[in-house]
Amino acid sequence: MVSSGLCFSLTVLLLLMLVTSELTVDYYKRTCPHAESILRQVMVQKIREAPTTAGATLRLLFHDCFVDGCDASVLVSSTPGNKAERDEEINHSLAGDAFDAVHRAKAAVEKICPGVVSCADVLAIITRDLVQLVGGPFWEVRKGRKDGRLSMASRVGRNLPTSTASINELTRLFASKGLNEIDLIALSGAHTIGFAHCTEFTNRIYNFNGTRAGDPSMNPSFLGELRRACPPRNGNPDVVASMDAATPFQFDNSYYRSMQRGLGLLTSDQELLTNARTRSVVDAFASSQDLFYEVFAASMDKLGNVGVKNETNGVVRKECHRT
């Protein structure tokens, strides 16, 4: 008899379907054969200094890929004549440690292979390394992305999800990037090492759906902890809460198990459990970390192929913050 878990796994893999692209695992085999080992060494040191770097860099990659593709345009600084992506309001909370990780990694590889490895590939590779360094899965990163020539705040718009987005809104957004509902649920698992500012969930704990009360699906003790940390008015804007209170610095499937106990932080998180279409996948990931890792790795591969640039419409920037 075939187990239900195996059936689900096979179904997931069929739904994911590996995307085709010009990217290859051995893209730098001749031009910079030690690129990945150089980048990994830098990340080993960075994660020792700042354990939150893994979650921050995962978020940075996501915000990059969802706006005009995985082209490192989110790294570009604004100029007097152009407001860049990173200065759009939704990107103000992108952590400095993530930008620093890319800067250090790019500088290290430039010393050995100047002008060869793109910032977009650097971001994709170090994200994988950081996830693995905090306990997550390994996946081969296909390479060959070129860096975008433009970075405009006006392009961010509706390309990034909000913390209050419904499942239908999230599904439509992901579909516009070539990602399906399974990808949505798996990539949301990145929140296992994520943090959110109080403003992202204040309405949920004080005025859920205009009720002037907290979300009834939340664990009461968890709700109380969040209210103590995040008062309704005049709170500290720098305060953050972990999206996975059980193991905030460990990449695992605790995010899904926490949701089953009413410990999901964001409205969009908890909707994955309460929605009839997505709940079975959440339950499956909560039950099997191996399954979650398998699907997460495949979804990260797909994410890394969103809107990639090539030699005809991209460049290799020597400094990631400048076009």
Side-chain angles (χ1 to χ4, degrees):
M1 179 180 292
V2 180
S3 70
S4 58
L6 178 58
C7 286
F8 178 77
S9 180
L10 292 174
T11 301
V12 163
L13 292 179
L14 287 172
L15 285 171
L16 284 169
M17 296 183 296
L18 290 177
V19 294
T20 58
S21 76
E22 299 175 358
L23 305 182
T24 60
V25 171
D26 60 354
Y27 186 83
Y28 297 112
K29 183 176 181 179
R30 294 183 179 179
T31 57
C32 194
H34 302 298
E36 291 199 51
S37 61
I38 293 168
L39 296 175
R40 186 175 181 85
Q41 289 173 13
V42 177
M43 291 305 101
V44 168
Q45 179 59 36
K46 177 63 181 177
I47 201 71
R48 287 174 181 164
E49 297 173 9
T52 59
T53 300
T57 307
L58 251 176
R59 185 166 182 250
L60 184 65
L61 175 69
F62 182 88
H63 280 227
D64 181 49
C65 292
F66 262 52
V67 180
D68 290 337
C70 304
D71 63 354
S73 54
V74 74
L75 304 173
V76 175
S77 298
S78 294
T79 63
N82 179 62
K83 182 180 178 181
E85 290 175 26
R86 66 189 291 176
D87 288 322
E88 182 66 10
E89 185 176 359
I90 196 172
N91 284 334
H92 288 173
S93 59
L94 291 173
D97 276 319
F99 290 98
D100 180 62
V102 178
H103 174 75
R104 291 192 195 186
K106 175 66 170 174
V109 80
E110 279 291 313
K111 289 180 181 178
I112 308 301
C113 312
V116 174
V117 184
S118 68
C119 298
D121 276 347
V122 167
L123 178 54
I125 294 167
I126 68 170
T127 298
R128 185 272 316 277
D129 289 342
L130 287 165
V131 167
Q132 191 186 30
L133 286 169
V134 294
F138 175 88
W139 64 93
E140 293 284 2
V141 174
R142 290 187 281 170
K143 297 166 283 290
R145 301 166 188 80
K146 300 306 178 191
D147 300 324
R149 302 173 187 272
L150 299 173
S151 178
M152 302 172 63
S154 61
R155 299 289 299 157
V156 176
R158 298 180 180 178
N159 280 305
L160 293 175
T162 67
S163 60
T164 58
S166 68
I167 291 298
N168 288 337
E169 290 170 333
L170 291 171
T171 300
R172 285 194 296 269
L173 177 59
F174 272 64
S176 73
K177 313 301 177 184
L179 302 170
N180 59 39
E181 208 164 71
I182 299 293
D183 298 315
L184 161 63
I185 303 165
L187 293 173
S188 295
H191 289 175
T192 189
I193 49 173
F195 294 82
H197 289 83
C198 295
T199 52
E200 295 295 313
F201 54 87
T202 299
N203 279 349
R204 188 178 181 217
I205 62 176
Y206 288 108
N207 190 28
F208 181 67
N209 287 344
T211 61
R212 297 186 181 180
D215 183 344
S217 71
M218 295 186 80
N219 179 291
S221 297
F222 183 52
L223 176 63
E225 291 175 10
L226 293 176
R227 284 179 168 176
R228 285 190 289 275
C230 302
R233 291 177 295 277
N234 303 319
N236 184 341
D238 296 325
V239 170
V240 295
S242 171
M243 296 185 189
D244 176 5
T247 56
F249 301 108
Q250 178 76 19
F251 193 98
D252 52 25
N253 68 337
S254 177
Y255 163 78
Y256 300 103
R257 290 185 278 110
S258 292
M259 279 196 287
Q260 292 175 324
R261 296 159 49 208
L263 301 176
L265 183 63
L266 306 179
T267 300
S268 56
D269 290 332
Q270 200 63 32
E271 277 218 4
L272 293 176
L273 181 69
T274 57
N275 186 279
R277 292 204 317 267
T278 54
R279 178 166 188 151
S280 62
V281 183
V282 171
D283 290 340
F285 288 165
S287 298
S288 173
Q289 183 163 282
D290 289 341
L291 176 61
F292 165 51
Y293 280 10
E294 178 184 12
V295 181
F296 180 82
S299 293
M300 284 297 293
D301 180 64
K302 288 180 69 176
L303 174 65
N305 280 269
V306 172
V308 296
K309 308 294 190 294
N310 54 34
E311 289 83 356
T312 62
N313 60 356
V315 296
V316 175
R317 300 200 297 266
K318 288 185 176 292
E319 295 179 289
C320 295
H321 68 286
R322 295 178 180 174
T323 56

